[in-house]
Amino acid sequence: QQVPVNKDAAVCESFAVFQEAVRSVRNIRAEQQVPVNKKISALFMIDDEEQKQRILSEEKALQFLCKIDELTIVERQAAQELSSEEHIEAVVTDGFLIYIPLAGLVDAEQEISRLTRQATKIEKDLATLESRLGSASFVEKAPKQVVDETTAKRDDLAQQLSMVKGRLSVLVEGSNVSV
């Protein structure tokens, strides 16, 4: 018996969302250098009720593939109240977000050291771009596209620095380590 084509498309779409959820959690684990054997908590915010049911039906597989010990589904209102400095957010699809709590995710002392080094590097790079953009000869002589790209890089670095410092302050407050 043949399966209707639209049914196949729905199954493929559902599996693609599942894959993206796994990829998102694994990317966060890699970026945060979470040890491979460490289990984590995750909060999923899924607007679409049908998609939520499909994800819940595969909860055990998600927990296994992502090394999640506690998977919680939260409503949009609760998700909006989560602090970006205390959680890492990943967008799976429009209406499907994953939040990973930072608390207990990594060794606080090591993470503070890593974030401090990262902030220092970003500050140095930011100072270089600020200096370049502050130079009248650069702004006047460089092509507009180069100036725009440099400005965009500076803005991106400033945003990164803000995020790093925010996470750093949360970690410092939550531990007895000083910077």
Side-chain angles (χ1 to χ4, degrees):
Q1 180 180 6
Q2 276 193 328
V3 177
V5 175
N6 61 352
K7 179 87 168 155
D8 280 349
V11 168
C12 287
E13 182 184 330
S14 177
F15 185 70
V17 170
F18 177 83
Q19 280 182 304
E20 190 56 37
V22 170
R23 183 178 301 115
S24 296
V25 173
R26 286 181 170 181
N27 285 347
I28 290 170
R29 290 180 66 95
E31 288 167 7
Q32 297 301 315
Q33 301 172 345
V34 177
V36 177
N37 59 350
K38 182 173 179 71
K39 292 202 174 213
I40 62 172
S41 297
L43 306 168
F44 284 19
M45 190 290 302
I46 308 170
D47 283 336
D48 182 75
E49 198 57 43
E50 190 176 313
Q51 191 174 56
K52 188 184 298 184
Q53 293 310 314
R54 284 193 303 259
I55 291 296
L56 283 172
S57 73
E58 298 298 336
E59 182 177 2
K60 294 284 186 220
L62 266 170
Q63 288 179 308
F64 176 76
L65 292 170
C66 301
K67 300 246 194 272
I68 296 173
D69 65 350
E70 186 179 334
L71 174 60
T72 308
I73 304 291
V74 296
E75 297 300 320
R76 180 169 287 281
Q77 180 63 37
Q80 290 173 337
E81 294 171 7
L82 296 173
S83 164
S84 64
E85 293 166 353
E86 294 175 4
H87 295 81
I88 300 169
E89 177 183 324
V91 177
V92 178
T93 62
D94 188 33
F96 183 175
L97 303 171
I98 296 175
Y99 297 89
I100 307 290
L102 282 171
L105 196 61
V106 292
D107 178 281
E109 216 170 297
Q110 284 182 332
E111 187 64 3
I112 288 170
S113 174
R114 184 185 76 79
L115 288 173
T116 302
R117 287 191 310 274
Q118 186 177 359
T120 302
K121 181 187 180 323
I122 292 172
E123 286 169 343
K124 181 181 167 209
D125 293 347
L126 196 54
T128 302
L129 293 176
E130 293 281 357
S131 170
R132 190 175 301 158
L133 289 169
S135 165
S137 63
F138 172 76
V139 175
E140 291 170 9
K141 293 179 183 176
K144 182 177 177 359
Q145 180 184 354
V146 172
V147 174
D148 290 346
E149 286 173 3
T150 304
T151 302
K153 283 181 190 174
R154 179 201 59 198
D155 295 346
D156 184 47
L157 283 176
Q159 185 179 12
Q160 285 179 27
L161 183 60
S162 173
M163 288 176 63
V164 167
K165 284 187 173 185
R167 286 193 182 150
L168 195 53
S169 69
V170 166
L171 281 170
V172 169
E173 286 173 17
S175 68
N176 295 329
V177 181
S178 61
V179 178

